[in-house]
Amino acid sequence: MPAELVVEVAARVRETARIMATSQHTDELIHWAEESKVQGPVSPDLPPWRVLIVDDDQDVHQATEFALKHQLIQGRALHFLNAHSAAEAQHLLRQEPDIAVVLLDVVMESEHAGLELVRTIREELGLEAVRIVLRTGQPGYAPEMEAIRDYDINDYKTKTELTRNRLYSVLTTAIRSYRQIQALNSQRAGLSQLAESSNRLLQQDTLEAFFQQTVTEAASLFASPLQAALCARASPPVNGEPPRLLAATPGLLAATDGSFSTLPGNVREPLQACLSQRSHQQKTDTLALYVRGPESAPLGLLVQAEQALTRDQLNLLHLFAAQVATCFENLTLLKRLRRSAFTDPLLDIPNRSSLIVSINEKARQDGLEGWVLALLDIDQFAVVNHVLGYRTGDQLLHAVARRLQQQFPAPALVARLGSDTFGLLGPKEHISLPTLQRCFRNAFNVNEQAHRLSASFGLVRLDGVAGQGEEALRSAHIALKRVQERDRGQGLYYHETMASEIRSRVSLVEELRKAMADNRLCLTYQPQLSLISGRPIGVEALIRWPGEHGDPIPPSVFIPLAEKAGLIIELGEWVLREACHAQRELAAAGHGDLRMGVNVSVKQFEHPDFIAMLDRVLSDTGIDPAHLELEITESVAALDPERLTQLLTNLKARGLSLAIDDFGTGFSSLSYLHRLPIDRLKVDRSFIQQLGQDGDRGEIARVVISLGKTLQLVLIAEGVERANQAEFLRELGCDEVQGFYFARPMKRAHLQHWLQEHPLGVSH
Ligand code: C2E
Ligand code: CA
Ligand code: CA
């Protein structure tokens, strides 16, 4: 700046200061007084506005302070800070917080020092809220309009313009705008703080942690921390019962023995009022928030500040309370969801997902060395359900779960995986085949009735299992299935060969599919004879698969596979059709009165198309249904009793007869069988085998046969291999026999031949 100008500016500034300092015009005074009136009440608690005067002329400092001394803006006093250069101002601005307004001289160390400072304030120091009023000695030094806009400058005035009055109003406008910006900023900060706090609240796993976090969040909502306490009314409310203190900030908590009644009165009373009146209670420095909890469990949240709470703070606290309510509700919902996702609803014990998670967690935390996973499946439970009813079935499951939990307490885990399947996880010292079997030694009591149950077990040693809960479960399943196929009531540990066997079974299914397509399956027929007349009275059709490479594959191997693969439907229809054709052929050859027994798998039986299929075959082959007998096993009892009765009645209506195959091995409920339209019981081979051996007097066979007699059914014994067995059976009153002793299963042509040769049966 040229020297003359400097002199001139300095002179003008002094003049301005003088005018401002001495301005005593009446109109100005009136105006002044009016402005003061609208300031509202003085808030002695609130800090003064901080105003920074930046000017290289000391007179301007003095003049400004003098002019504004004792003035209040929005009820708050003014406090001045002074800087005599842009550099000093910058230093101050870095140190001092909450400066509301900078009254800034444009020209100082340099022509642009003021504007440079503005840029620094906005860009470098990032101070957005502070308001800036530029003052210049003369209009010639007006900054560009862009600068005013770009740097968010509130006002630009020449010093001469700034009379005391004008200065006051300029400052008031600036402070109002500063306050608005501050409020917006704090609201914005408050809202993002709320969002973050809600995140943290929802992460709490337990209610206790949630309560504690609520208090922590409330206390740290503002720069100056609050005291906070959270309590709940006794639910349901009991007269005279004080609310429960759930959590409090350390300062408050220290004053109590942890109970609500020992809270200081100025905390306790608003909380009590808030809970009983179900509304927020507000005092200058204290706010008791009513938080509507889920399932009518209200909370009272009290916050207490050191100073009066501002309107913004109150607003934010109200928002916070609403948010706590939402989080509380969400948390209980989440917990319930989490619970239902991991709990079996009937037995209220962990479910399959929970078991898998536990296996994985245990593997991650301290490894599964020496641990075992066991699957337990109750034998014939579907039948139990049908015979005893679902209610008793459910109660039995409860009883089983209880016993398992008693026998295998923590660290073991008992879970329910499916209807009657349980999973157990624990150290091998606890969970082993003998300890599991011991659980089923004693009967289970339901409604003062003892029910004996047996179960099959599949176990897997978890050593080396790397957190693959699913995989472990699959292995245990394989072992369990193996037990169920071979000897129910027992248990097996999983071994890798089982998996490879499964793979080979898969390829066997493929081969079966091919054999069916290539028509390589055939039927054999085994004669059945009357024990009274000795004559052949029927045959049983038995399927044969010669096998592609050598040995035939027994039906006990491929029928279960066909059932699982769904092939049994097609295969079963083929067997029925083939057997009916054979019956027609026998009739044509003069053996028309022979009954044709056909095995029907449960899978076929429960297929919705079964009756239609049967009708189709009957009409296609034109046989007399009176010469057809369907053999079904006791496992059909697992079907819905009403549906089963209807199905059997439908079948009977066609004139065919029905036999229960393998009688005595399944779950035989006399009363149940009695209600079904059955013609014949086929006493299982296992009862006959013993007969006449090692001094066996046929006690068991006798019981089984007399059981059938009580039901007034015809009895046929399977698997008769020796003459003395046949003799015994005759004595026991058995009606019919079938077995290698009389005849082996044979091809159609061979059967014709055999029948020719044995018109009167096999003498013995
Ligand atoms: P099952 O219905 O109990 O058939 C009787 C089984 O006992 C037949 O075995 C038969 O060969 C065998 N057997 C007959 N007399 C004696 C004897 O004196 N001693 C011994 N040790 N065994 C005897 P197979 O043919 O191997 O059939 C086994 C099972 O396969 C059958 O048991 C039946 O459950 C099933 N099966 C056979 N053919 C069919 C079929 O066409 N459809 C269905 N669904 N299952 C079939
Ligand atoms: Ca049979
Ligand atoms: Ca049988």
Side-chain angles (χ1 to χ4, degrees):
M1 201 190 306
E4 331 62 274
L5 262 182
V6 176
V7 177
E8 206 200 311
V9 168
R12 274 179 173 265
V13 168
R14 265 189 290 277
E15 174 61 13
T16 315
R18 195 191 56 75
I19 295 170
M20 281 163 53
T22 56
S23 138
Q24 302 262 329
H25 302 294
T26 335
D27 64 324
E28 274 203 340
L29 277 176
I30 291 165
H31 193 57
W32 196 241
E34 275 169 2
E35 282 240 312
S36 306
K37 259 191 272 168
V38 293
Q39 289 175 144
V42 179
S43 311
D45 292 342
L46 294 175
W49 301 113
R50 290 151 70 82
V51 177
L52 172 62
I53 304 170
V54 188
D55 208 305
D56 54 359
D57 186 340
Q58 179 56 29
D59 288 352
V60 176
H61 287 265
Q62 284 173 352
T64 310
E65 286 191 36
F66 183 78
L68 297 169
K69 202 162 51 179
H70 308 308
Q71 295 307 323
L72 297 171
I73 294 183
Q74 298 194 342
R76 290 161 69 173
L78 300 172
H79 172 83
F80 294 98
L81 298 113
N82 306 87
H84 298 88
S85 67
E88 196 189 340
Q90 191 179 330
H91 181 72
L92 257 175
L93 281 159
R94 279 186 204 279
Q95 309 271 310
E96 300 284 339
D98 295 334
I99 292 177
V101 182
V102 181
L103 294 174
L104 178 58
D105 189 14
V106 177
V107 182
M108 290 179 292
E109 303 97 298
S110 69
E111 195 180 334
H112 300 294
L115 274 180
E116 279 296 310
L117 180 63
V118 173
R119 195 192 57 77
T120 311
I121 290 174
R122 296 294 186 227
E123 289 180 0
E124 245 173 66
L125 303 180
L127 299 171
E128 287 169 9
V130 62
R131 297 295 86 201
I132 298 171
V133 175
L134 282 182
R135 296 196 288 187
T136 182
Q138 52 177 196
Y141 288 96
E144 300 296 323
M145 280 312 283
E146 293 96 87
I148 293 185
R149 197 183 53 225
D150 291 351
Y151 291 131
D152 185 17
I153 292 164
N154 263 61
D155 229 328
Y156 168 71
K157 290 280 182 293
T158 57
K159 290 180 186 171
T160 41
E161 277 179 280
L162 284 174
T163 57
R164 184 181 193 171
N165 244 358
R166 291 293 290 279
L167 183 60
Y168 178 81
S169 70
V170 163
L171 202 59
T172 305
T173 313
I175 282 179
R176 193 176 295 143
S177 135
Y178 169 75
R179 193 180 175 169
Q180 275 165 0
I181 292 171
Q182 281 291 70
L184 273 176
N185 280 348
S186 84
Q187 267 171 25
R188 200 181 307 143
L191 287 178
S192 78
Q193 222 177 331
L194 276 188
E196 282 165 26
S197 80
S198 114
N199 246 342
R200 284 188 294 266
L201 282 173
L202 279 176
Q203 275 165 20
Q204 306 307 313
D205 291 334
T206 63
L207 279 180
E208 288 68 32
F210 173 77
F211 295 147
Q212 190 54 54
Q213 190 65 28
T214 302
V215 158
T216 310
E217 296 292 341
S220 58
L221 267 184
F222 311 122
S224 57
L226 309 163
Q227 295 288 12
L230 184 72
C231 69
R233 200 181 51 200
S235 167
V238 182
N239 261 353
E241 174 112 344
R244 230 157 20 97
L245 181 61
L246 300 172
T249 41
L252 265 183
L253 199 62
T256 71
D257 64 3
S259 71
F260 179 81
S261 38
T262 51
L263 278 170
N266 62 348
V267 169
R268 200 179 59 235
E269 281 148 23
L271 270 173
Q272 208 139 22
C274 138
L275 282 176
S276 60
Q277 290 167 32
R278 294 164 182 269
S279 61
H280 301 324
Q281 306 289 315
Q282 189 177 325
K283 292 202 175 130
T284 353
D285 61 346
T286 306
L287 179 64
L289 292 154
Y290 178 74
V291 180
R292 217 181 304 275
E295 287 148 17
S296 64
L299 302 176
L301 172 64
L302 177 125
V303 285
Q304 201 165 52
E306 278 165 13
Q307 296 142 349
L309 289 157
T310 65
R311 210 177 43 221
D312 288 344
Q313 289 177 327
L314 288 171
N315 280 343
L316 196 62
L317 281 168
H318 281 121
L319 278 177
F320 179 69
Q323 172 183 288
V324 169
T326 316
C327 289
F328 193 12
E329 185 141 3
N330 285 345
L331 190 78
T332 15
L333 270 179
L334 271 179
K335 279 189 71 144
R336 208 178 300 154
L337 261 181
R338 222 175 285 164
R339 208 181 134 62
S340 71
F342 288 105
T343 309
D344 178 79
L346 174 70
L347 303 184
D348 200 26
I349 63 174
N351 65 5
R352 187 189 142 86
S353 309
S354 174
L355 180 67
I356 292 174
V357 168
S358 301
I359 298 173
N360 292 346
E361 266 176 11
K362 171 83 179 106
R364 215 183 31 247
Q365 282 162 6
D366 35 25
L368 288 163
E369 244 19 62
W371 275 49
V372 166
L373 170 69
L375 288 194
L376 171 171
D377 189 281
I378 301 173
D379 298 327
Q380 306 280 351
F381 194 73
V383 184
V384 173
N385 256 340
H386 281 317
V387 175
L388 302 174
Y390 283 96
R391 272 185 60 92
T392 312
D394 286 354
Q395 286 170 319
L396 264 173
L397 287 176
H398 270 289
V400 171
R402 261 198 310 277
R403 184 169 302 169
L404 291 174
Q405 283 181 320
Q406 275 163 9
Q407 298 289 314
F408 305 107
L413 177 89
V414 179
R416 182 185 184 214
L417 304 189
S419 61
D420 58 341
T421 311
F422 291 85
L424 295 106
L425 175 72
K428 64 169 185 264
E429 295 75 30
H430 300 179
I431 294 179
S432 66
L433 196 48
T435 58
L436 285 168
Q437 284 175 325
R438 207 174 299 147
C439 281
F440 284 79
R441 217 169 270 164
N442 296 325
F444 293 87
N445 287 319
V446 165
N447 301 331
E448 291 170 17
Q449 277 213 321
H451 298 272
R452 253 172 216 293
L453 293 177
S454 80
S456 306
F457 308 93
L459 298 92
V460 56
R461 296 185 180 90
L462 297 177
D463 307 78
V465 169
Q468 302 298 315
E470 298 259 12
E471 183 73 35
L473 214 55
R474 213 170 300 137
S475 303
H477 248 294
I478 290 175
L480 175 66
K481 281 283 162 239
R482 172 67 59 90
V483 174
Q484 288 176 323
E485 278 162 17
R486 299 193 179 168
D487 37 9
R488 281 181 182 274
Q490 304 296 309
L492 270 181
Y493 278 89
Y494 171 78
H495 191 272
E496 269 171 34
T497 51
M498 292 182 183
S500 62
E501 277 174 38
I502 286 187
R503 279 193 293 279
S504 67
R505 276 203 240 171
V506 171
S507 62
L508 200 61
V509 168
E510 280 320 302
E511 280 182 41
L512 175 62
R513 221 185 281 275
K514 257 177 65 203
M516 282 165 63
D518 300 348
N519 214 3
R520 276 187 284 114
L521 301 173
C522 62
L523 290 188
T524 57
Y525 304 88
Q526 185 177 30
Q528 301 173 330
L529 301 95
S530 159
L531 267 180
I532 301 152
S533 68
R535 286 170 191 265
I537 41 151
V539 294
E540 178 182 3
L542 292 160
I543 195 165
R544 291 292 172 262
W545 179 10
E548 208 166 349
H549 331 277
D551 288 346
I553 297 143
S556 53
V557 171
F558 71 84
I559 291 290
L561 284 187
E563 285 174 346
K564 258 180 229 142
L567 291 175
I568 195 70
I569 303 300
E570 190 187 334
L571 191 62
E573 177 167 354
W574 176 82
V575 169
L576 185 66
R577 198 173 287 273
E578 186 74 8
C580 288
H581 279 304
Q583 204 284 331
R584 283 291 303 255
E585 204 179 83
L586 286 175
H591 307 291
D593 51 348
L594 285 184
R595 191 177 62 221
M596 177 61 69
V598 177
N599 292 288
V600 176
S601 137
V602 186
K603 284 272 163 4
Q604 283 175 271
F605 201 67
E606 60 188 10
H607 194 270
D609 197 33
F610 181 65
I611 296 261
M613 183 278 285
L614 177 78
D615 286 341
R616 221 163 39 230
V617 173
L618 287 177
S619 84
D620 288 354
T621 57
I623 76 156
D624 178 358
H627 295 135
L628 182 64
E629 180 163 270
L630 300 182
E631 298 188 5
I632 51 179
T633 58
E634 282 172 278
S635 51
V636 293
L639 298 181
D640 173 54
E642 238 170 72
R643 185 152 163 247
L644 178 62
T645 313
Q646 196 189 359
L647 209 78
L648 295 180
T649 314
N650 261 343
L651 290 173
K652 286 296 294 173
R654 282 157 175 77
L656 45 76
S657 56
L658 294 170
I660 293 286
D661 207 351
D662 306 342
F663 178 66
T665 56
F667 183 92
S668 310
S669 162
L670 284 183
S671 60
Y672 190 47
L673 277 181
H674 193 55
R675 278 184 269 135
L676 299 176
I678 302 288
D679 302 277
R680 203 175 314 275
L681 293 181
K682 298 194 76 178
V683 181
D684 191 65
R685 209 163 64 225
S686 56
F687 301 106
I688 313 303
Q689 251 165 8
Q690 305 295 321
L691 214 58
Q693 270 186 338
D694 306 328
D696 182 295
R697 303 291 304 160
E699 277 80 8
I700 299 178
R702 191 192 310 270
V703 172
V704 175
I705 287 169
S706 64
L707 218 127
K709 290 263 164 215
T710 349
L711 297 174
Q712 296 174 320
L713 296 174
V714 179
L715 283 153
I716 175 165
E718 299 185 292
V720 182
E721 293 183 350
R722 290 187 308 276
N724 64 343
Q725 289 173 335
E727 206 44 56
F728 254 123
L729 288 164
R730 199 208 312 272
E731 282 168 22
L732 293 174
C734 183
D735 308 290
E736 301 169 353
V737 279
Q738 175 183 348
F740 292 173
Y741 174 68
F742 301 98
R744 289 192 172 249
M746 50 194 110
K747 295 250 173 87
R748 234 197 254 192
H750 192 183
L751 176 70
Q752 296 252 14
H753 192 70
W754 186 89
L755 287 170
Q756 304 285 298
E757 294 198 339
H758 302 87
L760 300 175
V762 181
S763 56
H764 53 277

